[in-house]
Amino acid sequence: MRILIIEDERKTAAFLNKGLSESGFVVDTEENGEQGLLLALSKGYDLIILDVMLPGRDGWSILSTLRQSGNQVPVLFLTARDAVQDRVKGLELGADDYLIKPFAFSELLARVRLLLRRAPARQSETLQIADLEIAFARQKATRGGNRLDLTAKEFSLLSLLVRRTGEVLSRILIAEQVWDINFDSDTNVIDVAIRRLRSKVDDPFEKKLIHTVRGVGYVLEDR
Ligand code: CA
């Protein structure tokens, strides 16, 4: 089992590295967020322990980029602040768990083991809703067996909707997760992107999967 620790506090990183290595894990550590993201994307880790405040690129951005690229590796967030909004943001971005610093190693180890036990079910390579199928790692989407010709952004948007099937996603959440920026809520960028996506995913088919929830956002589901 390989674990990547992205943490710029050397003491914390060394402490985690030692404890996890002694517990039988193969551990890599990285201090810089940008380098950490590259490592996470290029090597197959079973779990990532991720700090929020990092040089190069912060933990939020690392997590959202991983999830956008279809990488479903379990992520345990380390957060220094016991702020509810931090935890909510981490979980919304796709973190699997979080731990508030300072923490006891025994608690971290228990959570790591729990996440690893849960992981196989979550790391499914493909998801299917009705006759729509998404192969995340291969960035491939098909409907009724026919490949959908999607741009990278359209694929990210569809992946988000599919991962959160049945959940109404606000425009702001979609903007943050797919574009990694904050749009003013009155912008129609998201609506335009959804319209383009629908023209490929829904328009040619009788059964519609992407639904508008007036005044709230969008949901993908098999109704
Ligand atoms: Ca830090």
Side-chain angles (χ1 to χ4, degrees):
M1 289 282 193
R2 299 179 65 92
I3 296 181
L4 173 63
I5 299 166
I6 310 177
E7 165 65 87
D8 63 324
E9 286 164 280
R10 292 192 180 168
K11 246 176 93 179
T12 308
F15 159 75
L16 288 174
N17 191 347
K18 182 165 182 286
L20 290 168
S21 298
E22 284 172 3
S23 305
F25 297 100
V26 177
V27 183
D28 288 338
T29 58
E30 174 55 55
E31 298 175 6
N32 179 280
E34 194 63 47
Q35 293 304 319
L37 174 63
L38 292 176
L39 266 179
L41 288 170
S42 61
K43 287 198 195 178
Y45 289 100
D46 298 291
L47 184 121
I48 296 176
I49 296 175
L50 185 58
D51 186 26
V52 177
M53 302 308 289
L54 289 163
R57 185 188 272 266
D58 69 28
W60 308 128
S61 168
I62 292 171
L63 178 60
S64 69
T65 307
L66 279 174
R67 294 301 187 240
Q68 275 167 39
S69 72
N71 188 310
Q72 283 292 86
V73 61
V75 171
L76 174 67
F77 243 116
L78 296 181
T79 165
R81 291 164 293 173
D82 182 12
V84 173
Q85 59 265 39
D86 276 7
R87 282 181 267 153
V88 169
K89 184 171 178 184
L91 296 173
E92 275 188 354
L93 286 174
D96 297 273
D97 200 358
Y98 62 89
L99 208 53
I100 295 155
K101 294 184 202 173
F103 51 83
F105 183 75
S106 56
E107 185 179 4
L108 175 114
L109 187 61
R111 289 181 186 227
V112 162
R113 289 196 165 130
L114 184 67
L115 287 176
L116 289 171
R117 272 204 300 279
R118 272 190 347 215
R122 288 207 34 164
Q123 278 183 314
S124 61
E125 287 271 294
T126 62
L127 276 177
Q128 191 168 357
I129 317 287
D131 60 350
L132 172 69
E133 192 175 296
I134 305 261
F136 295 104
R138 284 178 293 141
Q139 301 258 307
K140 187 180 159 197
T142 61
R143 215 178 151 181
N146 296 314
R147 183 164 192 158
L148 302 172
D149 183 21
L150 304 177
T151 64
K153 276 290 169 214
E154 287 165 349
F155 187 83
S156 296
L157 177 57
L158 183 62
S159 297
L160 174 66
L161 289 163
V162 166
R163 284 224 177 78
R164 310 273 289 257
T165 298
E167 202 178 317
V168 180
L169 304 178
S170 69
R171 290 175 179 80
I172 291 168
L173 185 143
I174 292 170
E176 283 176 357
Q177 299 221 3
V178 178
W179 282 267
D180 199 20
I181 51 170
N182 296 302
F183 287 115
D184 289 335
S185 52
D186 62 350
T187 184
N188 69 348
V189 171
I190 305 300
D191 301 299
V192 171
I194 290 276
R195 203 175 308 139
R196 286 213 195 97
L197 184 64
R198 272 178 164 153
S199 75
K200 297 177 180 180
V201 173
D202 271 347
D203 290 358
F205 303 92
E206 196 177 332
K207 187 181 195 77
K208 308 304 176 197
L209 295 173
I210 300 169
H211 309 279
T212 306
V213 180
R214 200 169 285 275
V216 187
Y218 296 97
V219 58
L220 185 145
E221 66 186 343
D222 182 8
R223 289 188 175 166

